[in-house]
Amino acid sequence: GAVVSQHPSWVICKSGTSVKIECRSLDFQATTMFWYRQFPKQSLMLMATSNEGSKATYEQGVEKDKFLINHASLTLSTLTVTSAHPEDSSFYICSAQSRGQEESHYGYTFGSGTRLTVV
Amino acid sequence: DQQVKQNSPSLSVQEGRISILNCDYTNSMFDYFLWYKKYPAEGPTFLISISSIKDKNEDGRFTVFLNKSAKHLSLHIVPSQPGDSAVYFCAARRGSYIPTFGRGTSLIVHP
């Protein structure tokens, strides 16, 4: 089945630094990748949608200059949290949608998530 | 405005008994519903789904029921096992649109 690899699984960084999270589709081409954020005891909040080779589409309230998304290839998308602050601490999850499978659950696979802690 | 609601944040069940997780939605345009299971510090994994043209889908111990008139779906797990302890997310989708997720229900199955 489709596998999405997300790295790192956890990261601790100092306030003011930037952190990059990678999301890779291992055995399929991901036409679209999604980035979610999950707060404790809350739902998965969609942050942005990225299509290969084009700019990401950000959800309302998400700062595009703070959360930089790059989808340079059909198998890799990156989320960079710039000038991180403690309030950015959260669990970030990516998801990838495969070409031709958009209407099937098979076309929507989650990565394992990244726990970001900003100190 | 939450279009997908899971009103029970947690559920505790004895091993061997039935677990019933509920989900309500408001958008009548949703035509595909999914349940995901999530362990701590992991991404969600797909569990079971149902199309709006059906009212029941069964896969082993897991059964999803859909009541379109009530805009309600439920996930039944029988018999419940301790390994089923996780957070369960309900999601709803319209066509190929991005699924909308509920807040999740934390299921604890006691041995």
Side-chain angles (χ1 to χ4, degrees):
Chain A
V3 177
V4 173
S5 175
Q6 186 173 341
H7 291 283
S9 56
W10 62 270
V11 57
I12 301 173
C13 71
K14 290 185 177 180
S15 186
T17 62
S18 296
V19 174
K20 181 184 284 188
I21 303 170
E22 289 190 351
C23 181
R24 293 181 185 272
S25 56
L26 296 187
D27 51 1
F28 66 99
Q29 291 184 329
T31 51
T32 309
M33 286 187 171
F34 309 90
W35 287 95
Y36 290 85
R37 181 174 180 177
Q38 185 187 22
F39 294 99
K41 299 184 180 181
Q42 293 200 25
S43 180
L44 301 169
M45 301 297 295
L46 179 66
M47 298 175 66
T49 302
S50 73
N51 294 290
E52 185 264 340
S54 63
K55 289 184 178 180
T57 302
Y58 290 82
E59 295 299 301
Q60 192 173 10
V62 178
E63 299 176 59
K64 59 181 68 176
D65 294 331
K66 180 161 190 65
F67 299 100
L68 300 179
I69 292 172
N70 183 280
H71 192 163
S73 76
L74 282 172
T75 59
L76 174 65
S77 176
T78 59
L79 168 68
T80 301
V81 183
T82 63
S83 186
H85 288 94
E87 57 264 31
D88 299 325
S89 298
S90 192
F91 191 62
Y92 293 87
I93 308 173
C94 72
S95 177
Q97 190 171 58
S98 59
R99 189 194 304 273
Q101 295 284 351
E102 289 83 358
E103 296 203 18
S104 162
H105 70 267
Y106 293 110
Y108 203 82
T109 307
F110 286 91
S112 55
T114 298
R115 170 68 62 191
L116 170 63
T117 303
V118 184
V119 298
Chain B
D1 176 33
Q2 264 194 297
Q3 295 190 62
V4 178
K5 301 178 184 179
Q6 292 177 260
N7 292 319
S8 298
S10 63
L11 176 66
S12 183
V13 172
Q14 198 71 29
E15 180 179 8
R17 306 292 290 267
I18 184 171
S19 295
I20 300 177
L21 296 100
N22 294 303
C23 179
D24 296 292
Y25 61 96
T26 59
N27 189 342
S28 58
M29 299 298 290
F30 288 140
D31 56 11
Y32 200 74
F33 305 89
L34 311 96
W35 284 93
Y36 287 85
K37 179 179 180 179
K38 182 183 180 300
Y39 292 114
E42 292 185 14
T45 55
F46 170 77
L47 188 59
I48 193 169
S49 64
I50 189 167
S51 165
S52 60
I53 62 173
K54 296 185 176 181
D55 55 18
K56 177 182 175 182
N57 187 26
E58 189 173 353
D59 183 3
R61 296 186 297 114
F62 302 90
T63 303
V64 56
F65 294 92
L66 175 63
N67 182 335
K68 282 194 296 182
S69 60
K71 294 191 180 68
H72 176 84
L73 64 154
S74 59
L75 173 68
H76 292 213
I77 306 173
V78 181
S80 302
Q81 299 173 354
D84 295 329
S85 298
V87 176
Y88 290 79
F89 287 97
C90 169
R93 194 180 72 194
R94 174 188 173 188
S96 60
Y97 281 77
I98 303 166
T100 300
F101 288 86
R103 288 180 177 239
T105 296
S106 176
L107 173 65
I108 299 172
V109 181
H110 297 283

